[in-house]
Amino acid sequence: MTHGDWRAGLSGWLLAAPAVGAAVVFVWAPMLASIGFSFFDWSLLRRQGTWRGLDHYLATLSNPEFHLAAGNTLIYLLALLPMQVGVPLLLAFLLLRLRLERAAAAYRLLLFVPAVLSFPVAAVIWLWMFNPVFGVLNALFGALGLPPQRWLSDPDLAIWSVIAVAFWKSFGLNLLIFHAALLTIPHEVVEAARVDGAYSLKLALTIELPLISPALFFAVVTTVIIVLDEIVGAVDVLTEGGPFRMSTNLLYYLYERGFRFFQFGEAAAVAVLISCLVALVTWAQFRFGERHVHYR
Amino acid sequence: MTTKPTPLSCPTRRRLIRAGLAALAAPALLPRSALGSNARIDLVHLFSGADHPIQRLIRAFNARNTGVTVVSRQDGTTYEAITQRALSSIAAGRGPALMTTGWKLGDFARRTLGAKDFREIFGAERTAALLGRFRPQVRPLAEVGGVPIGLPWAMSTPVLYINQDLWTAAGIDPAAEPATAEQLYPMVRQLQERTGRQGLCYEVNEWLPQAFIQNAGGEVIDASGRPVMDSPEAIYGIEKFVEPHRLGLWRVLTIPEMLSAFQSGGIGVMASSSARQSGVREAARFNLRLIRMVGLEGRQRRMNSGGNFLAIYSNSREQQEAAYRFLDFVASPEGFEIWLGTGYLNVTTHPLPLPPGNEAAHAQLAEGLTSETIWPGPRGLEALTAHIDWITRIVNGSVSVAEGLRGSRRAVEALIAA
């Protein structure tokens, strides 16, 4: 290695150092610490741990509440993923075909506004609409001759109410991503397809959709992460996981172990399990993406 | 004759430097004196509102210019939330000077968070002088294993909140004060039928059901720490608790839903903590009347209480001493009179005038109150949540009362034994 190579290498490391340092301090060190904590019972006061081995993992995996949270997480994912990807995709195609540019811009803005709100703020707005006594939803039901509902305290309804809020809150972001991706498709490609007789549905399915597949893939990956992660804010404000854990999910289960029951060792074990699950899902998504995503 | 100068009378440059360094190091090396001239302490609490009595209390204390400034820090709306936010500072050895700590978290506060033993930091005499201003029966509520760790300033009890406008519009005697559930439920039916509004709403938690269990002659956890919430008496109590739901008089709501619906005039009668009084009264746009919580026909009344205490988590002597000054003010007649505006009970020995509307809660205090259930063991908070989950299942009709209470006992037993 010449002196120049060595200097170039060093300057590269120096330039990367702040980012690497931040990642080590705020991501990797806490992750490693969590893995360590998960084998202990921690005393916050004495800053000492009692070795528990795999006890926390075994207790978590055999806990029916963990199974319920895992099942609910799957429900959230299966319900929200098609909705949060499918509906914005459809709307993006419709907006693209809207000839009035001003109307399209207004629609885009209106549909995107909920995405700007944080989950707790969105949930507070919905708390008023869901109120069974004076909420607007039951007023609407009453006007239609339907019986009033207990949106958040009915064990069969609560999870679907959270899903509705999460959908309303998040679909705007994907809409923006899809719309922007559709606008990047070269005009000549679309024109050529039309000359060859591809219109509307055929054009969308055979030309536009494959061309925006990287954006679609990005939206799927981020939606999965949002559903697994950020939805916890809505769960906390709307239902606190209730009634009787019927709307909880894995992350809320983790939050409860750590910050309501103060069982830090067990919470760390749950965090490790969730991280493994997210890593597995993301890996599967990338494997799928390699085959079906076309980068121009 | 010349005399040799003494070391003190002839300061050399070296001595001056030494003296200067010693003066600079003194604050760190010497034991800190009790209190600096301008100490600031945080009071972490869960009370919302710029004019909440806690804010008035802090303002009144700060206006006295004692050399201590109390800073209000509302870090959440539940005991768990504020505790959660204080965890990191406590772990780093810089816990808040004062934090409102729920009775149910007392064990956790002492053993895990290291809430200070008042006798250790203030001495036995000053502790006795401070706590001696509280009624003897409430002092143990802020003790863990006989160790006083807090000022037992906040005690509440369940009461009935009545929308007097709806009550009167339904043709019910405006002064009627049903003493039992059996007397209340027909009145609620009348209110619901004549006004078209929801008649009644109970809180679905562990606290209000405890009142029904106790008034039926049962207990949630007995004196030896054994869960006994599925005794025949307890089953009877919970049957009476859920009866209005079965009768169509009570549409089950979450607590925030219940509060906003009641305040908006959508519910006739609500059972909740007397401590909510200041907030509900401020928001309600109707005549509000509070009456004692109902008991059960033919059974002896035995109401429960709940609340929090002010505990000290700071390791700093200065912060602890500053906290004492504030606690001393809170426990004074002047301070506690302001605090009574919350709806909490006068648990001091001071003969203070009751704020209007607080009579029902104080009447219950005069009858004698039991404490909130203390959920024992390191998994006590989990046991509490499991019990609430079973109560919610019962209320929703997912299980029968007997099945649900049996399920609760088993779950709580397992968590206590863990």
Side-chain angles (χ1 to χ4, degrees), chain A residues 47 132 150 245 257 263 266, chain B residues 91 251-252 379 382 389:
Chain A
R47 297 180 213 175
R150 293 186 293 125
R245 318 290 102 204
R257 298 288 126 182
Q263 303 291 336
E266 204 179 318
Chain B
R251 194 191 308 159
V252 179
R379 307 200 80 128
E382 216 174 325
D389 281 352

Side-chain angles (χ1 to χ4, degrees), chain B residues 40-306:
Chain B
R40 285 171 73 87
I41 55 169
D42 283 346
L43 167 54
V44 176
H45 63 86
L46 67 175
F47 305 105
S48 313
D51 203 39
H52 188 277
I54 198 165
Q55 304 295 351
R56 298 207 297 269
L57 190 67
I58 290 170
R59 283 198 293 269
F61 174 77
N62 288 343
R64 291 160 73 100
N65 295 317
T66 60
V68 174
T69 305
V70 176
V71 179
S72 166
R73 253 182 56 196
Q74 192 208 346
D75 276 357
T77 53
T78 64
Y79 297 122
E80 290 87 349
I82 60 171
T83 306
Q84 172 196 328
R85 291 191 181 115
L87 278 174
S88 54
S89 59
I90 291 171
R94 296 190 306 274
L98 289 163
M99 183 165 78
T100 51
T101 307
W103 293 350
K104 63 184 174 187
L105 290 172
D107 199 61
F108 179 77
R110 175 66 182 152
R111 294 183 213 286
T112 307
L113 302 180
K116 305 297 174 209
D117 177 351
F118 275 20
R119 288 176 311 200
E120 245 172 45
I121 57 175
F122 301 140
E125 204 173 304
R126 292 170 78 205
T127 301
L130 185 67
L131 299 181
R133 288 178 251 172
F134 289 83
R135 298 183 193 197
Q137 64 268 37
V138 302
R139 287 179 221 155
L141 296 170
E143 289 177 3
V144 173
V147 174
I149 59 163
L151 194 80
W153 70 334
M155 185 194 222
S156 63
T157 183
V159 289
L160 287 180
Y161 289 73
I162 294 180
N163 180 327
Q164 193 69 4
D165 294 354
L166 291 178
W167 187 264
T168 316
I172 306 169
D173 175 7
E177 192 174 326
T180 62
E182 290 81 355
Q183 291 170 15
L184 173 70
Y185 295 162
M187 293 178 181
V188 165
R189 177 180 292 282
Q190 186 175 332
L191 184 147
Q192 187 163 298
E193 285 173 356
R194 297 212 183 156
T195 64
R197 307 289 173 88
Q198 177 168 331
L200 178 70
C201 199
Y202 285 152
E203 285 182 355
V204 182
N205 51 17
E206 85 292 1
W207 198 54
L208 195 63
Q210 184 193 336
F212 278 86
I213 288 174
Q214 287 188 177
N215 279 280
E219 276 181 296
V220 179
I221 290 182
D222 70 12
S224 64
R226 209 164 45 97
V228 288
M229 66 283 278
D230 62 341
S231 67
E233 293 82 8
I235 292 171
Y236 177 76
I238 296 300
E239 290 283 5
K240 282 289 167 192
F241 172 67
V242 297
E243 191 178 300
H245 179 53
R246 312 270 189 264
L247 294 171
L249 303 173
W250 163 28
R251 194 191 308 159
V252 179
L253 308 174
T254 63
I255 293 175
E257 282 174 348
M258 177 188 80
L259 288 170
S260 50
F262 181 77
Q263 285 164 184
S264 71
I267 298 175
V269 180
M270 166 180 92
S272 191
S273 162
S274 60
R276 293 198 199 278
Q277 195 205 150
S278 60
V280 174
R281 198 173 285 283
E282 199 180 304
R285 295 286 170 266
F286 51 82
N287 289 310
L288 177 70
R289 182 166 65 113
L290 270 66
I291 65 170
R292 292 183 311 158
M293 182 62 203
V294 289
L296 298 173
E297 206 75 63
R299 314 255 171 160
Q300 194 181 350
R301 280 177 67 85
R302 198 163 160 256
M303 288 301 162
N304 53 335
S305 62

